[in-house]
Amino acid sequence: MREITISDERAGPYGITAGPDGALWLTLTHSGHVARVDAGGDVTTVDAGGPAAQPALITAGPDGALWFTCTRDDHIGRVTAGGAVTRFALPAGCGPYGITAGPDGALWFTQMNADRIGRISPDGVITDFPLPVSGGFASAITAGPDGALWFTLNQANAVGRITVDGDVRLHALPTAGAAPVGIAADGEAVWFVEIGAGQVGRIMPDGHVTEVALPDRAARPHAVVAAGRGDLWFTEWGANRVGRLRAGSANGDRAGAASGDIAGAAIAEYDLPTAASEPHGLTVAADGAVWVALEIGRLVRLEP
């Protein structure tokens, strides 16, 4: 495990993704910047709207650019590999948070305070889709294995599915107060973490949900990323750790990872080098290494 400083601790690294240019891209939520970290560790930053913007999650788009949400001032941002930023205004107060590239060549995002899912085309055309819930607090979103988008509803205690045509279905979670946040797909199933219950959950395309409790139920898992089928990494925001869940058989065969019982999944946890480092987003780089954004101004690399 290697830790590097990439910003002043007040800048607040938060969301992170591997870019198409081979660099890491991350949001600095407190300073209102987007940062690029190249393979040599050199850091460049661009203004994403300043502290009033509060950039949150970031993803690689189908157009070779990086797209991110600005939660506080209600914008979707786009930054090219060369650092040119464009911002697209949303209705005031909607609170965009999660964002992902969809199967239709557009970006899809959640609106926490508006009970809506949004779609933005690469040229900036925005479409909104209302959710059949009030105060659901839509959080993270991912492209699923079934051609639809899947998202968490933190306050509604549910996982939602929306097709590219806007058809919505909500799936209630078995555990009361689970409060799901992060969500990721591994090619066959969709996985999510429950910050309120200290669990990792899996939902199949047919809506069947399975949950696995973490060793530390107070760990407050926040973000999750898939490294492969049945191979998940997640941040434990409340415990200053990174966790890994591997489904399937003990010999490493993942053939049953999506369809089988995950109650016996192997869970490993790794303490972070610096106390109270506030781990949030994480991503898997092209070489298989896992990078974690720490709000104290640092990144951590876990070797593949």
Side-chain angles (χ1 to χ4, degrees):
M1 188 180 298
R2 177 165 61 92
E3 185 179 88
I4 62 172
T5 298
I6 55 96
S7 73
D8 183 287
E9 64 180 15
R10 293 168 295 182
Y14 190 85
I16 185 171
T17 194
D21 58 349
L24 297 171
W25 290 80
L26 58 149
T27 57
L28 304 180
T29 193
H30 299 317
S31 69
H33 291 82
V34 167
R36 178 185 184 273
V37 183
D38 69 17
D42 291 332
V43 181
T44 56
T45 61
V46 296
D47 187 351
Q54 193 174 314
L57 299 193
I58 186 168
T59 192
D63 55 350
L66 290 302
W67 292 74
F68 56 94
T69 52
C70 292
T71 298
R72 183 174 293 165
D73 75 348
D74 306 303
H75 281 75
I76 299 296
R78 175 184 184 271
V79 58
T80 67
V85 175
T86 308
R87 296 189 346 124
F88 303 91
L90 300 175
C94 68
Y97 181 74
I99 189 166
T100 191
D104 58 346
L107 288 301
W108 291 74
F109 57 94
T110 60
Q111 300 176 57
M112 295 185 298
N113 303 327
D115 294 317
R116 291 193 302 258
I117 300 297
R119 176 189 185 274
I120 182 168
S121 64
D123 59 356
V125 176
I126 297 169
T127 309
D128 285 331
F129 300 94
L131 299 175
V133 66
S134 177
F137 207 73
S139 300
I141 187 169
T142 191
D146 56 349
L149 292 303
W150 292 76
F151 55 94
T152 52
L153 287 163
N154 179 263
Q155 294 301 299
N157 213 52
V159 171
R161 175 185 184 271
I162 182 170
T163 69
V164 294
D165 296 321
D167 294 328
V168 177
R169 183 176 180 184
L170 305 185
H171 302 274
L173 297 182
T175 302
V181 182
I183 192 167
D186 69 358
E188 289 193 3
V190 176
W191 298 78
F192 55 94
V193 288
E194 301 173 358
I195 197 169
Q199 299 186 137
V200 176
R202 183 195 66 192
I203 185 166
M204 302 302 294
D206 63 2
H208 179 70
V209 175
T210 309
E211 298 168 312
V212 178
L214 299 179
D216 178 4
R217 297 295 292 273
R220 298 185 68 77
H222 181 264
V224 62
V225 67
R229 189 172 63 183
D231 187 1
L232 290 305
W233 291 84
F234 52 92
T235 50
E236 297 186 7
W237 175 67
N240 205 52
R241 288 191 296 255
V242 176
R244 185 183 192 184
L245 180 149
R246 286 181 288 178
S249 64
N251 65 7
D253 179 11
R254 305 288 171 241
S259 59
D261 181 9
I262 64 169
I267 297 174
E269 296 174 304
Y270 305 92
D271 291 329
L272 293 171
T274 302
S277 57
E278 299 277 351
H280 286 291
L282 72 173
T283 192
V284 179
D287 63 355
V290 176
W291 289 87
V292 186
L294 309 179
E295 200 168 337
I296 60 169
R298 302 175 189 175
L299 295 181
V300 158
R301 173 185 163 100
L302 288 85
E303 300 299 331

